Amino acid sequence: MYVVSAYAAYLFLSIALTVWVARTLSKAGRVFLVDSFLGNRELADSVNHLLVVGFYLINVGFVSLALKYGDKPTDLQTAIEILSTKMGFVLLVLGGMHFFNLHVFSRMRKRAILRTRKPPFAPDEVIEPVGSYAN
C-alpha cells in the first residue's frame, strides 16, 4: 500500500515540478535567448522550444529511472522520507540543468557580442621605442 502511494506521489510531484520549471524557464529565458541570438526572435523561439523538449525528456527519463532505486517504504514515515529524498534528487537535477543551460547560453551570448563588436580605432601615431628596447 505504501509503495504504490509513494510511487504515485513521487511521479505526480516530479512531473508537475518538471512542467512548472520548464514553463517558467521558457518564459523567462526567451528574452535572454533573443538577446543571445542578436534579436532573431524566430531562432530564439525555436531553440527555446527545443530546450523545453530536451528538458522534459531528460527529467522525465530521470524521474522514471529513479523510481526503481532506493528503499521501499514500509510505513508512512519511511514513505515520506523516501519521497523527500527522491524529490530532493529531482530538484538537484533540475537546478543542475538550469545552471548548465545558463552557462552555455552565457558563453554563446558573449561570443555573439564579440562578433558584432566594432573594431577599435586605429592609433593616431606610433611612438618609436627608446633605449634598450630599440632594435
Side-chain angles (χ1 to χ4, degrees), residues 92-127:
L92 289 173
V93 168
L94 290 172
M97 286 185 62
H98 171 63
F99 283 113
F100 175 75
N101 283 340
L102 280 178
H103 173 72
V104 168
F105 284 105
S106 176
R107 291 186 66 180
M108 285 177 53
R109 181 176 181 270
K110 195 179 294 184
R111 285 185 191 152
I113 289 171
L114 287 175
R115 254 188 264 126
T116 60
R117 188 184 249 175
K118 294 180 182 177
F121 293 103
D124 293 331
E125 62 182 292
V126 176
I127 300 173

Side-chain angles (χ1 to χ4, degrees), residues 10-126:
Y10 168 70
L11 287 172
F12 175 78
L13 291 171
S14 297
I15 291 172
L17 190 60
T18 298
V19 169
W20 176 75
V21 170
R23 286 183 179 176
T24 301
L25 294 178
S26 176
K27 284 181 186 177
R30 184 179 184 278
V31 174
F32 183 75
L33 288 174
V34 168
D35 188 48
S36 295
F37 291 113
L38 305 174
N40 187 340
R41 293 181 192 286
E42 188 175 324
L43 179 60
D45 289 339
S46 177
V47 169
N48 201 9
H49 183 73
L50 291 172
L51 283 170
V52 168
V53 169
F55 189 81
Y56 284 140
L57 290 173
I58 290 172
N59 285 296
V60 172
F62 173 78
V63 164
S64 299
L65 287 173
L67 181 68
K68 177 181 177 178
Y69 297 103
D71 296 331
K72 307 289 186 240
T74 55
D75 58 10
L76 184 58
Q77 178 184 347
T78 58
I80 292 170
E81 290 170 354
I82 291 169
L83 181 61
S84 173
T85 301
K86 287 184 182 257
M87 289 303 301
F89 280 122
V90 169
L91 290 170
L92 289 173
V93 168
L94 290 172
M97 286 185 62
H98 171 63
F99 283 113
F100 175 75
N101 283 340
L102 280 178
H103 173 72
V104 168
F105 284 105
S106 176
R107 291 186 66 180
M108 285 177 53
R109 181 176 181 270
K110 195 179 294 184
R111 285 185 191 152
I113 289 171
L114 287 175
R115 254 188 264 126
T116 60
R117 188 184 249 175
K118 294 180 182 177
F121 293 103
D124 293 331
E125 62 182 292
V126 176

